[in-house]
Amino acid sequence: MTRLQRAEIKKINFSRGAAVVMALLMGGPALAGSQKIGDPPESSNMRLVGLNDLQGRSAYQPTIHHQGDRWIAYIGHHGGTDAVPKPVNPLTGQSEFNGTSIVDVTDPAHPVYLRHIPGQEGTYEAGGAQMTRVCDGKDLPKGDPSAVYLLRTFGGAAHEIWNVADPANPKLIIRLEGLKDTHKSWWECKTGIAFLVSGVPNWRVRRMTEIYDLSDPAKPVKIREFGLPGQEPGSTGSVPTELHGMISTGSAGNRVYFGYGTNKGGILQIVDRDKLISGPKEPTPENLRFPVIGEMEMSPLNGAHTTFPLGKMAIPNFSKDKFASQRDIVMIVDESLVNECQEGEARQMVWFVDATVEKKPMVVASYSVPETSENFCERGGRFGSHSSNESMAPVFYRKLAFVTWFDAGVRAIDIRDPYHPKEVGYFIPAITATTDKRCIKVNGQDACKVAIQSNNVETDERGYVYVVDRANTGLHILEMTGPARAIAGLPEN
Amino acid sequence: MKRAAPLTAEINLCRVALLFVILACLQAVDFAHSDEADSIWVETKWPFLMDQWGEGRSFQCKAADCGAELDLYIRAKIGFCSNTTGVADDDELERLSDFDFMKGQATALGSGREIDIAGMKGRLRAYAIASPILSQTYAFSVAFNSNSDALVATVAVKGGPPAAMEPVIIQFLNGKTIRRWVTRTLGL
């Protein structure tokens, strides 16, 4: 047991005692489930290893990169808040618009904040630099072998590429700008092909796909624009659901899984990558359909924020079947947008899709956090899924999936049988003095609560889980314990 | 009687003054917000199947009252609008619009224009509707927003011309019925 863990346990015991004393002083127990500063984190089969407050910035996407003999976390941020639009960077003493945090997590118990790269001016979703992807120059076909490249968004207006070979001193290489709403892109490090979530003017949606050859990041070459028919310039009538993001399986897998919609009108689109890159490029309805293999329209009540391909999986219950005992599985994660389960949104959750017959994918299972056990709808902020880890490293791939659930923290799901996924662990970080409030309107007045808002999660090859908070609480580095750890094949801790 | 004449004059003066006060008060009342402006619209049953945005409210105004038969459908699209730019242009208006409610192929009749509805900024655009089963009709799409929440109205027009219908539609959207509903729906 490390000093940090002992300190954490002492803190938990002290906090429990303090909570009992407070409850007695207040004349009764606190509202079940609500979080208070000083409360311990809530967990099952997951344990806190280390944390960093990320300078109190609202966090979106973390990418964990093995960089030489170090492990570096690149974490995207939303813009600041109304109260603190431009937080102070203690490293520089300057107020800086939220951008990208660079944290050395080589020792996960003692993460070291290296650098903050400021992002676009603006608060909440209007500013910051939400997305991060990282490729080594030595992997890219025409990259500088000594470079490490960070691809990030700059607010909604641009994509940027930085050289982060020295992560404490990043250098801007290029900016692709003039866009309406950039978001969560995908970059193949072996080929350099990048699928950028952009908003090209004249397209009828804020987010669509630009495909670039970034094999030489200093000289981007645009290949084409892509989207659903009806979104392209000049089309009329209803505008199909706009893009959220995509994941490519590269030239070997030859598939790109596009997810359209966040919390509504979800569409999973399975695309032939070669045809997408090499096919006719003019964005006509015919050309946009040309590379498409299959599409699945979800219930309009749910979106497709993350479409994570799990590839071919042996289904335990089909093991004796002579035909189709292996299934091609895609995990879809919706995004909840609405605070405290209010009007305008149905429950957002996780769906498992059997895409063995790619033209006709079908949902075969779902997973959702039980709400009533902890009154998650009333804790504050959003309750529902947001995103999963996207690492395909063997330690967790096809075994455990991690999904952030806003006020319900991060959930660990045993996906070895994707027809019957089950929760095997969770971690809900404690709130701190920097955790921001979330409000709903009650009789025209703001009614605000402070609750954790676990937003994104990523894993590394070592088996650490990195969860970041939308409500400014920072980065929590976790490890699995007990039976959940055994599923990953990790040694006992 | 000599003394009565000035008294009568004073009373008449008071009456005139009172009339002016009443008129001034009446002028101060914004008719666009009055129930009277809404009374020619009759609420009808929501006619569409459930979709991702759920049900809204549906109203009809007869041709005798509005100059053409108008069917207005309005509903909230929570979290679907940019809270920084709002309904900034026709692209954003069309992204928000319920074209399926127009019952035919919609062709824009020129660019949209900015409007103020219930104290919020928005945009309105007119369309010609081509349908194999209906005679030539028109439609309007109207969207306005409060932060990231959008309110989207679709108006089907039987008869025309559509330009003459715009003030009637805007007046109703600014009326008490819609204002109350917007306040309740968005929790304002």
Side-chain angles (χ1 to χ4, degrees), chain A residues 60-65 74-76 100 130-136 148-153 160-162 164 183-189 194-197 214 244-248 305-306 388-391 456-458:
Chain A
Y60 188 77
Q61 191 184 13
T63 297
I64 317 303
H65 191 63
Y74 298 88
I75 298 157
T100 309
Q130 295 182 36
M131 190 279 302
T132 61
R133 300 284 183 199
V134 182
C135 287
D136 287 322
V148 177
Y149 298 101
L150 164 67
L151 171 69
R152 72 166 196 166
T153 52
E160 290 181 339
I161 301 175
W162 292 70
V164 289
H183 203 52
K184 199 170 76 168
S185 305
W186 185 263
W187 193 11
E188 297 175 0
C189 293
F195 303 89
L196 304 182
V197 178
L214 297 182
H244 185 270
M246 72 294 281
I247 295 178
S248 168
H305 175 280
T306 305
S388 69
N389 62 311
E390 295 176 0
S391 168
N456 283 70
V457 59
E458 187 52 291

CSV table of all heavy atoms in Angstrom, one decimal, chain A residues 60-65 74-76 100 130-136 148-153 160-162 164 183-189 194-197 214 244-248 305-306 388-391 456-458:
chain,number,residue,atom,x,y,z
A,60,TYR,N,-12.4,17.7,-21.4
A,60,TYR,CA,-13.1,16.8,-22.4
A,60,TYR,C,-12.2,15.6,-22.6
A,60,TYR,O,-12.1,14.7,-21.8
A,60,TYR,CB,-13.4,17.6,-23.6
A,60,TYR,CG,-14.2,16.8,-24.6
A,60,TYR,CD1,-15.6,16.7,-24.4
A,60,TYR,CD2,-13.7,16.2,-25.7
A,60,TYR,CE1,-16.4,15.9,-25.3
A,60,TYR,CE2,-14.4,15.5,-26.6
A,60,TYR,CZ,-15.8,15.3,-26.4
A,60,TYR,OH,-16.6,14.6,-27.2
A,61,GLN,N,-11.4,15.6,-23.7
A,61,GLN,CA,-10.8,14.3,-24.1
A,61,GLN,C,-9.4,14.1,-23.7
A,61,GLN,O,-8.5,15.0,-24.0
A,61,GLN,CB,-10.8,14.2,-25.7
A,61,GLN,CG,-10.5,12.8,-26.1
A,61,GLN,CD,-10.4,12.8,-27.7
A,61,GLN,OE1,-10.4,13.8,-28.3
A,61,GLN,NE2,-10.4,11.6,-28.2
A,62,PRO,N,-9.1,13.0,-23.0
A,62,PRO,CA,-7.7,12.7,-22.6
A,62,PRO,C,-7.1,11.7,-23.6
A,62,PRO,O,-7.8,10.7,-24.0
A,62,PRO,CB,-7.9,12.1,-21.2
A,62,PRO,CG,-9.2,11.5,-21.2
A,62,PRO,CD,-10.1,12.1,-22.3
A,63,THR,N,-5.9,11.9,-24.0
A,63,THR,CA,-5.2,10.9,-24.8
A,63,THR,C,-3.9,10.6,-24.0
A,63,THR,O,-3.2,11.5,-23.6
A,63,THR,CB,-4.8,11.5,-26.1
A,63,THR,OG1,-6.0,11.7,-26.9
A,63,THR,CG2,-4.0,10.4,-26.9
A,64,ILE,N,-3.6,9.3,-23.7
A,64,ILE,CA,-2.5,9.0,-22.9
A,64,ILE,C,-1.4,8.4,-23.9
A,64,ILE,O,-1.7,7.4,-24.6
A,64,ILE,CB,-2.8,7.9,-21.9
A,64,ILE,CG1,-4.1,8.3,-21.2
A,64,ILE,CG2,-1.7,7.8,-20.9
A,64,ILE,CD1,-4.2,9.6,-20.5
A,65,HIS,N,-0.3,9.0,-24.0
A,65,HIS,CA,0.7,8.6,-25.0
A,65,HIS,C,2.0,8.1,-24.3
A,65,HIS,O,2.6,8.8,-23.5
A,65,HIS,CB,1.0,9.8,-25.9
A,65,HIS,CG,1.8,9.4,-27.1
A,65,HIS,ND1,1.3,8.6,-28.1
A,65,HIS,CD2,3.0,9.8,-27.5
A,65,HIS,CE1,2.2,8.4,-29.0
A,65,HIS,NE2,3.3,9.2,-28.7
A,74,TYR,N,-2.5,14.1,-22.5
A,74,TYR,CA,-2.9,15.3,-23.2
A,74,TYR,C,-4.4,15.4,-23.0
A,74,TYR,O,-5.1,14.5,-23.5
A,74,TYR,CB,-2.5,15.2,-24.7
A,74,TYR,CG,-1.0,15.1,-25.0
A,74,TYR,CD1,-0.4,13.9,-25.0
A,74,TYR,CD2,-0.2,16.2,-25.1
A,74,TYR,CE1,1.0,13.7,-25.2
A,74,TYR,CE2,1.2,16.1,-25.3
A,74,TYR,CZ,1.8,14.9,-25.3
A,74,TYR,OH,3.1,14.8,-25.5
A,75,ILE,N,-4.8,16.4,-22.4
A,75,ILE,CA,-6.2,16.5,-22.0
A,75,ILE,C,-6.8,17.8,-22.6
A,75,ILE,O,-6.4,18.9,-22.3
A,75,ILE,CB,-6.3,16.5,-20.5
A,75,ILE,CG1,-5.8,15.2,-20.0
A,75,ILE,CG2,-7.8,16.7,-20.0
A,75,ILE,CD1,-5.4,15.2,-18.5
A,76,GLY,N,-7.9,17.7,-23.4
A,76,GLY,CA,-8.5,18.8,-24.0
A,76,GLY,C,-9.5,19.4,-23.0
A,76,GLY,O,-10.0,18.8,-22.0
A,100,THR,N,-5.3,23.0,-23.7
A,100,THR,CA,-4.8,21.7,-23.5
A,100,THR,C,-3.9,21.5,-22.3
A,100,THR,O,-2.9,22.3,-22.3
A,100,THR,CB,-4.1,21.2,-24.8
A,100,THR,OG1,-4.9,21.5,-26.0
A,100,THR,CG2,-3.8,19.7,-24.7
A,130,GLN,N,-11.2,21.1,-27.2
A,130,GLN,CA,-11.7,19.9,-26.5
A,130,GLN,C,-11.0,18.6,-26.9
A,130,GLN,O,-10.9,17.7,-26.1
A,130,GLN,CB,-13.2,19.8,-26.9
A,130,GLN,CG,-14.0,20.9,-26.3
A,130,GLN,CD,-15.5,20.7,-26.6
A,130,GLN,OE1,-16.0,19.6,-26.6
A,130,GLN,NE2,-16.2,21.7,-26.9
A,131,MET,N,-10.5,18.5,-28.1
A,131,MET,CA,-10.1,17.2,-28.7
A,131,MET,C,-8.5,17.1,-28.7
A,131,MET,O,-7.8,18.0,-28.9
A,131,MET,CB,-10.6,17.1,-30.1
A,131,MET,CG,-10.5,15.7,-30.7
A,131,MET,SD,-8.9,15.3,-31.4
A,131,MET,CE,-8.7,16.5,-32.6
A,132,THR,N,-8.1,15.9,-28.4
A,132,THR,CA,-6.6,15.6,-28.6
A,132,THR,C,-6.4,14.2,-29.2
A,132,THR,O,-7.2,13.3,-28.9
A,132,THR,CB,-5.9,15.5,-27.2
A,132,THR,OG1,-6.5,14.5,-26.4
A,132,THR,CG2,-6.0,16.8,-26.5
A,133,ARG,N,-5.5,14.1,-30.2
A,133,ARG,CA,-5.0,12.9,-30.7
A,133,ARG,C,-3.5,13.0,-30.8
A,133,ARG,O,-3.0,14.1,-31.2
A,133,ARG,CB,-5.6,12.5,-32.0
A,133,ARG,CG,-7.1,12.3,-32.1
A,133,ARG,CD,-7.5,11.0,-31.5
A,133,ARG,NE,-9.0,10.9,-31.6
A,133,ARG,CZ,-9.7,10.1,-30.8
A,133,ARG,NH1,-9.1,9.3,-29.9
A,133,ARG,NH2,-11.0,10.0,-31.0
A,134,VAL,N,-2.7,12.0,-30.6
A,134,VAL,CA,-1.3,12.1,-30.7
A,134,VAL,C,-0.6,11.0,-31.5
A,134,VAL,O,-1.1,9.8,-31.4
A,134,VAL,CB,-0.7,12.0,-29.2
A,134,VAL,CG1,0.8,12.2,-29.3
A,134,VAL,CG2,-1.3,13.1,-28.3
A,135,CYS,N,0.3,11.3,-32.4
A,135,CYS,CA,1.0,10.3,-33.2
A,135,CYS,C,2.5,10.6,-33.1
A,135,CYS,O,2.9,11.8,-33.1
A,135,CYS,CB,0.6,10.4,-34.7
A,135,CYS,SG,-1.0,9.7,-35.0
A,136,ASP,N,3.3,9.6,-33.1
A,136,ASP,CA,4.8,9.7,-33.1
A,136,ASP,C,5.2,10.0,-34.6
A,136,ASP,O,4.7,9.3,-35.5
A,136,ASP,CB,5.5,8.5,-32.6
A,136,ASP,CG,5.4,8.4,-31.1
A,136,ASP,OD1,5.4,9.4,-30.4
A,136,ASP,OD2,5.2,7.2,-30.6
A,148,VAL,N,6.9,14.4,-32.0
A,148,VAL,CA,5.7,13.8,-31.6
A,148,VAL,C,4.6,14.9,-31.8
A,148,VAL,O,4.8,16.0,-31.5
A,148,VAL,CB,5.7,13.5,-30.0
A,148,VAL,CG1,4.4,12.9,-29.6
A,148,VAL,CG2,6.9,12.5,-29.8
A,149,TYR,N,3.5,14.4,-32.5
A,149,TYR,CA,2.6,15.4,-33.0
A,149,TYR,C,1.3,15.3,-32.2
A,149,TYR,O,0.7,14.2,-32.0
A,149,TYR,CB,2.2,15.1,-34.5
A,149,TYR,CG,3.4,15.3,-35.4
A,149,TYR,CD1,4.1,14.2,-35.9
A,149,TYR,CD2,3.9,16.6,-35.8
A,149,TYR,CE1,5.2,14.3,-36.7
A,149,TYR,CE2,5.0,16.7,-36.6
A,149,TYR,CZ,5.6,15.6,-37.1
A,149,TYR,OH,6.7,15.8,-37.9
A,150,LEU,N,0.8,16.4,-31.7
A,150,LEU,CA,-0.5,16.6,-31.1
A,150,LEU,C,-1.4,17.2,-32.1
A,150,LEU,O,-1.2,18.3,-32.5
A,150,LEU,CB,-0.4,17.4,-29.8
A,150,LEU,CG,-1.7,18.0,-29.2
A,150,LEU,CD1,-2.6,16.9,-28.7
A,150,LEU,CD2,-1.4,19.1,-28.2
A,151,LEU,N,-2.5,16.5,-32.4
A,151,LEU,CA,-3.6,17.1,-33.2
A,151,LEU,C,-4.7,17.5,-32.2
A,151,LEU,O,-5.1,16.7,-31.4
A,151,LEU,CB,-4.2,16.1,-34.2
A,151,LEU,CG,-5.5,16.4,-34.9
A,151,LEU,CD1,-5.2,17.6,-35.9
A,151,LEU,CD2,-6.0,15.2,-35.6
A,152,ARG,N,-5.1,18.8,-32.2
A,152,ARG,CA,-6.1,19.2,-31.3
A,152,ARG,C,-7.1,20.2,-32.0
A,152,ARG,O,-6.7,20.7,-33.1
A,152,ARG,CB,-5.5,19.9,-30.1
A,152,ARG,CG,-4.9,21.3,-30.4
A,152,ARG,CD,-4.6,22.0,-29.1
A,152,ARG,NE,-4.4,23.5,-29.3
A,152,ARG,CZ,-4.4,24.4,-28.4
A,152,ARG,NH1,-4.6,24.1,-27.1
A,152,ARG,NH2,-4.2,25.7,-28.7
A,153,THR,N,-8.2,20.4,-31.5
A,153,THR,CA,-9.1,21.4,-32.0
A,153,THR,C,-8.7,22.8,-31.3
A,153,THR,O,-8.0,22.8,-30.3
A,153,THR,CB,-10.6,21.1,-31.6
A,153,THR,OG1,-10.6,20.9,-30.2
A,153,THR,CG2,-11.1,19.9,-32.4
A,160,GLU,N,-5.5,22.2,-35.0
A,160,GLU,CA,-4.1,22.6,-34.9
A,160,GLU,C,-3.2,21.3,-34.8
A,160,GLU,O,-3.6,20.3,-34.2
A,160,GLU,CB,-3.8,23.5,-33.7
A,160,GLU,CG,-4.4,24.8,-33.8
A,160,GLU,CD,-4.2,25.7,-32.6
A,160,GLU,OE1,-3.8,25.1,-31.5
A,160,GLU,OE2,-4.2,26.9,-32.7
A,161,ILE,N,-2.0,21.4,-35.3
A,161,ILE,CA,-1.0,20.4,-35.0
A,161,ILE,C,0.2,21.0,-34.3
A,161,ILE,O,0.8,22.0,-34.8
A,161,ILE,CB,-0.6,19.7,-36.3
A,161,ILE,CG1,-1.8,19.1,-37.0
A,161,ILE,CG2,0.5,18.6,-36.0
A,161,ILE,CD1,-1.5,18.4,-38.4
A,162,TRP,N,0.6,20.4,-33.2
A,162,TRP,CA,1.8,20.9,-32.4
A,162,TRP,C,2.8,19.8,-32.4
A,162,TRP,O,2.5,18.6,-32.4
A,162,TRP,CB,1.3,21.2,-31.0
A,162,TRP,CG,0.4,22.4,-30.9
A,162,TRP,CD1,-0.9,22.5,-31.3
A,162,TRP,CD2,0.7,23.7,-30.3
A,162,TRP,NE1,-1.4,23.7,-31.0
A,162,TRP,CE2,-0.4,24.5,-30.4
A,162,TRP,CE3,1.9,24.2,-29.7
A,162,TRP,CZ2,-0.5,25.8,-29.9
A,162,TRP,CZ3,1.8,25.5,-29.2
A,162,TRP,CH2,0.7,26.3,-29.3
A,164,VAL,N,5.1,18.1,-29.9
A,164,VAL,CA,5.2,18.0,-28.4
A,164,VAL,C,6.2,17.0,-28.0
A,164,VAL,O,6.2,16.3,-27.0
A,164,VAL,CB,3.8,17.6,-27.8
A,164,VAL,CG1,2.8,18.7,-27.9
A,164,VAL,CG2,3.2,16.3,-28.5
A,183,HIS,N,-14.6,19.1,-33.8
A,183,HIS,CA,-14.9,18.3,-32.6
A,183,HIS,C,-14.0,17.1,-32.6
A,183,HIS,O,-12.8,17.2,-32.9
A,183,HIS,CB,-16.4,17.9,-32.5
A,183,HIS,CG,-16.8,17.6,-31.1
A,183,HIS,ND1,-16.6,18.4,-30.0
A,183,HIS,CD2,-17.5,16.5,-30.6
A,183,HIS,CE1,-17.1,17.8,-28.9
A,183,HIS,NE2,-17.6,16.7,-29.3
A,184,LYS,N,-14.5,15.9,-32.2
A,184,LYS,CA,-13.7,14.7,-31.9
A,184,LYS,C,-13.2,13.9,-33.1
A,184,LYS,O,-14.0,13.1,-33.6
A,184,LYS,CB,-14.4,13.8,-30.9
A,184,LYS,CG,-13.5,12.9,-30.1
A,184,LYS,CD,-14.2,12.2,-29.0
A,184,LYS,CE,-15.0,11.1,-29.5
A,184,LYS,NZ,-15.5,10.2,-28.4
A,185,SER,N,-12.0,14.2,-33.5
A,185,SER,CA,-11.5,13.6,-34.8
A,185,SER,C,-10.8,12.3,-34.5
A,185,SER,O,-10.7,11.8,-33.4
A,185,SER,CB,-10.5,14.6,-35.4
A,185,SER,OG,-11.2,15.8,-35.6
A,186,TRP,N,-10.3,11.6,-35.6
A,186,TRP,CA,-9.6,10.4,-35.5
A,186,TRP,C,-8.4,10.5,-36.4
A,186,TRP,O,-8.5,11.0,-37.5
A,186,TRP,CB,-10.5,9.2,-35.9
A,186,TRP,CG,-9.8,7.9,-35.7
A,186,TRP,CD1,-9.1,7.1,-36.6
A,186,TRP,CD2,-9.7,7.2,-34.5
A,186,TRP,NE1,-8.6,6.0,-36.0
A,186,TRP,CE2,-8.9,6.0,-34.7
A,186,TRP,CE3,-10.1,7.4,-33.2
A,186,TRP,CZ2,-8.6,5.0,-33.7
A,186,TRP,CZ3,-9.9,6.4,-32.2
A,186,TRP,CH2,-9.1,5.3,-32.5
A,187,TRP,N,-7.2,10.0,-35.9
A,187,TRP,CA,-6.0,10.1,-36.7
A,187,TRP,C,-5.3,8.8,-36.7
A,187,TRP,O,-5.0,8.2,-35.6
A,187,TRP,CB,-5.1,11.2,-36.1
A,187,TRP,CG,-3.9,11.6,-36.9
A,187,TRP,CD1,-3.7,11.3,-38.3
A,187,TRP,CD2,-2.8,12.4,-36.5
A,187,TRP,NE1,-2.5,11.9,-38.7
A,187,TRP,CE2,-2.0,12.6,-37.7
A,187,TRP,CE3,-2.5,13.1,-35.3
A,187,TRP,CZ2,-0.8,13.4,-37.6
A,187,TRP,CZ3,-1.3,13.8,-35.3
A,187,TRP,CH2,-0.5,14.0,-36.4
A,188,GLU,N,-5.1,8.2,-37.9
A,188,GLU,CA,-4.4,6.9,-38.0
A,188,GLU,C,-2.9,7.2,-38.0
A,188,GLU,O,-2.4,7.8,-39.0
A,188,GLU,CB,-4.8,6.2,-39.3
A,188,GLU,CG,-6.2,5.9,-39.5
A,188,GLU,CD,-6.5,5.3,-40.9
A,188,GLU,OE1,-5.6,5.2,-41.7
A,188,GLU,OE2,-7.7,4.9,-41.1
A,189,CYS,N,-2.2,6.7,-37.0
A,189,CYS,CA,-0.8,7.1,-36.9
A,189,CYS,C,0.1,6.3,-38.0
A,189,CYS,O,1.1,6.8,-38.4
A,189,CYS,CB,-0.3,6.8,-35.5
A,189,CYS,SG,-0.9,7.9,-34.3
A,194,ALA,N,-6.3,11.3,-41.6
A,194,ALA,CA,-7.1,11.9,-40.5
A,194,ALA,C,-8.5,12.2,-40.9
A,194,ALA,O,-8.8,12.7,-42.0
A,194,ALA,CB,-6.4,13.2,-40.0
A,195,PHE,N,-9.4,11.8,-40.0
A,195,PHE,CA,-10.8,12.0,-40.2
A,195,PHE,C,-11.2,13.1,-39.3
A,195,PHE,O,-11.3,12.9,-38.0
A,195,PHE,CB,-11.6,10.8,-40.0
A,195,PHE,CG,-11.2,9.6,-40.8
A,195,PHE,CD1,-10.2,8.7,-40.4
A,195,PHE,CD2,-11.8,9.4,-42.1
A,195,PHE,CE1,-9.8,7.7,-41.2
A,195,PHE,CE2,-11.4,8.3,-42.9
A,195,PHE,CZ,-10.4,7.5,-42.4
A,196,LEU,N,-11.3,14.3,-39.8
A,196,LEU,CA,-11.5,15.5,-38.9
A,196,LEU,C,-13.0,15.9,-38.9
A,196,LEU,O,-13.6,16.0,-39.9
A,196,LEU,CB,-10.7,16.7,-39.5
A,196,LEU,CG,-9.2,16.4,-39.7
A,196,LEU,CD1,-8.5,17.7,-40.2
A,196,LEU,CD2,-8.5,16.0,-38.4
A,197,VAL,N,-13.4,16.0,-37.6
A,197,VAL,CA,-14.8,16.5,-37.4
A,197,VAL,C,-14.7,18.1,-37.6
A,197,VAL,O,-14.2,18.7,-36.7
A,197,VAL,CB,-15.4,16.1,-36.1
A,197,VAL,CG1,-16.8,16.7,-35.9
A,197,VAL,CG2,-15.4,14.6,-35.9
A,214,LEU,N,-2.5,13.5,-43.4
A,214,LEU,CA,-1.6,14.2,-42.5
A,214,LEU,C,-0.3,13.4,-42.3
A,214,LEU,O,0.3,13.4,-41.2
A,214,LEU,CB,-2.2,14.5,-41.1
A,214,LEU,CG,-3.4,15.4,-41.1
A,214,LEU,CD1,-4.0,15.6,-39.7
A,214,LEU,CD2,-3.1,16.8,-41.8
A,244,HIS,N,-21.1,13.3,-34.9
A,244,HIS,CA,-20.4,13.6,-33.6
A,244,HIS,C,-18.9,13.1,-33.8
A,244,HIS,O,-18.0,13.9,-33.4
A,244,HIS,CB,-21.0,12.9,-32.4
A,244,HIS,CG,-20.3,13.3,-31.2
A,244,HIS,ND1,-19.2,12.6,-30.7
A,244,HIS,CD2,-20.4,14.4,-30.4
A,244,HIS,CE1,-18.7,13.2,-29.6
A,244,HIS,NE2,-19.4,14.3,-29.4
A,245,GLY,N,-18.6,11.9,-34.2
A,245,GLY,CA,-17.3,11.5,-34.3
A,245,GLY,C,-17.2,10.1,-35.1
A,245,GLY,O,-18.2,9.6,-35.5
A,246,MET,N,-15.9,9.6,-35.2
A,246,MET,CA,-15.7,8.4,-35.9
A,246,MET,C,-14.5,7.7,-35.4
A,246,MET,O,-13.7,8.3,-34.7
A,246,MET,CB,-15.6,8.6,-37.4
A,246,MET,CG,-14.3,9.3,-37.8
A,246,MET,SD,-14.0,10.9,-37.2
A,246,MET,CE,-15.0,11.9,-38.3
A,247,ILE,N,-14.4,6.4,-35.6
A,247,ILE,CA,-13.2,5.6,-35.3
A,247,ILE,C,-12.9,4.7,-36.5
A,247,ILE,O,-13.8,4.0,-37.0
A,247,ILE,CB,-13.5,4.8,-34.0
A,247,ILE,CG1,-13.7,5.7,-32.8
A,247,ILE,CG2,-12.3,3.8,-33.8
A,247,ILE,CD1,-13.9,5.0,-31.5
A,248,SER,N,-11.7,4.8,-36.9
A,248,SER,CA,-11.2,4.0,-38.1
A,248,SER,C,-10.5,2.8,-37.6
A,248,SER,O,-9.7,2.9,-36.6
A,248,SER,CB,-10.4,4.8,-39.0
A,248,SER,OG,-9.7,4.0,-39.9
A,305,HIS,N,-22.8,9.1,-29.8
A,305,HIS,CA,-21.7,9.9,-29.5
A,305,HIS,C,-20.4,9.2,-29.8
A,305,HIS,O,-19.5,9.8,-30.5
A,305,HIS,CB,-21.8,10.3,-28.0
A,305,HIS,CG,-20.6,11.1,-27.5
A,305,HIS,ND1,-19.4,10.5,-27.2
A,305,HIS,CD2,-20.4,12.4,-27.3
A,305,HIS,CE1,-18.5,11.4,-26.8
A,305,HIS,NE2,-19.2,12.6,-26.8
A,306,THR,N,-20.3,8.0,-29.3
A,306,THR,CA,-19.1,7.2,-29.6
A,306,THR,C,-19.5,5.9,-30.2
A,306,THR,O,-20.4,5.2,-29.7
A,306,THR,CB,-18.3,6.9,-28.3
A,306,THR,OG1,-18.1,8.2,-27.6
A,306,THR,CG2,-17.0,6.2,-28.5
A,388,SER,N,-16.8,6.5,-24.0
A,388,SER,CA,-16.0,5.4,-23.5
A,388,SER,C,-14.6,5.6,-23.8
A,388,SER,O,-14.2,6.5,-24.5
A,388,SER,CB,-16.5,4.1,-24.3
A,388,SER,OG,-16.0,4.2,-25.6
A,389,ASN,N,-13.8,4.7,-23.1
A,389,ASN,CA,-12.3,4.7,-23.5
A,389,ASN,C,-12.3,4.3,-25.0
A,389,ASN,O,-13.1,3.5,-25.5
A,389,ASN,CB,-11.5,3.7,-22.6
A,389,ASN,CG,-12.0,2.3,-22.7
A,389,ASN,OD1,-13.2,2.0,-22.6
A,389,ASN,ND2,-11.1,1.4,-22.9
A,390,GLU,N,-11.2,4.7,-25.7
A,390,GLU,CA,-11.1,4.4,-27.1
A,390,GLU,C,-9.8,3.6,-27.4
A,390,GLU,O,-9.5,3.3,-28.6
A,390,GLU,CB,-11.2,5.6,-28.0
A,390,GLU,CG,-12.6,6.3,-27.9
A,390,GLU,CD,-12.7,7.6,-28.6
A,390,GLU,OE1,-11.8,8.0,-29.2
A,390,GLU,OE2,-13.8,8.2,-28.5
A,391,SER,N,-9.0,3.3,-26.4
A,391,SER,CA,-7.8,2.6,-26.6
A,391,SER,C,-8.1,1.1,-26.9
A,391,SER,O,-9.0,0.5,-26.4
A,391,SER,CB,-7.0,2.6,-25.3
A,391,SER,OG,-5.9,1.7,-25.3
A,456,ASN,N,-15.1,12.3,-19.7
A,456,ASN,CA,-14.4,11.4,-20.6
A,456,ASN,C,-13.4,10.5,-19.8
A,456,ASN,O,-13.0,10.8,-18.7
A,456,ASN,CB,-13.5,12.2,-21.6
A,456,ASN,CG,-14.4,12.8,-22.7
A,456,ASN,OD1,-15.2,13.7,-22.4
A,456,ASN,ND2,-14.3,12.3,-23.9
A,457,VAL,N,-13.1,9.4,-20.5
A,457,VAL,CA,-12.2,8.4,-19.9
A,457,VAL,C,-11.3,7.8,-20.9
A,457,VAL,O,-11.7,7.6,-22.1
A,457,VAL,CB,-13.1,7.3,-19.2
A,457,VAL,CG1,-14.0,6.6,-20.2
A,457,VAL,CG2,-12.2,6.3,-18.4
A,458,GLU,N,-10.1,7.5,-20.5
A,458,GLU,CA,-9.2,6.7,-21.4
A,458,GLU,C,-8.3,5.8,-20.6
A,458,GLU,O,-8.2,6.0,-19.3
A,458,GLU,CB,-8.3,7.7,-22.2
A,458,GLU,CG,-7.5,7.1,-23.3
A,458,GLU,CD,-8.2,6.2,-24.3
A,458,GLU,OE1,-8.7,5.1,-23.8
A,458,GLU,OE2,-8.4,6.5,-25.5
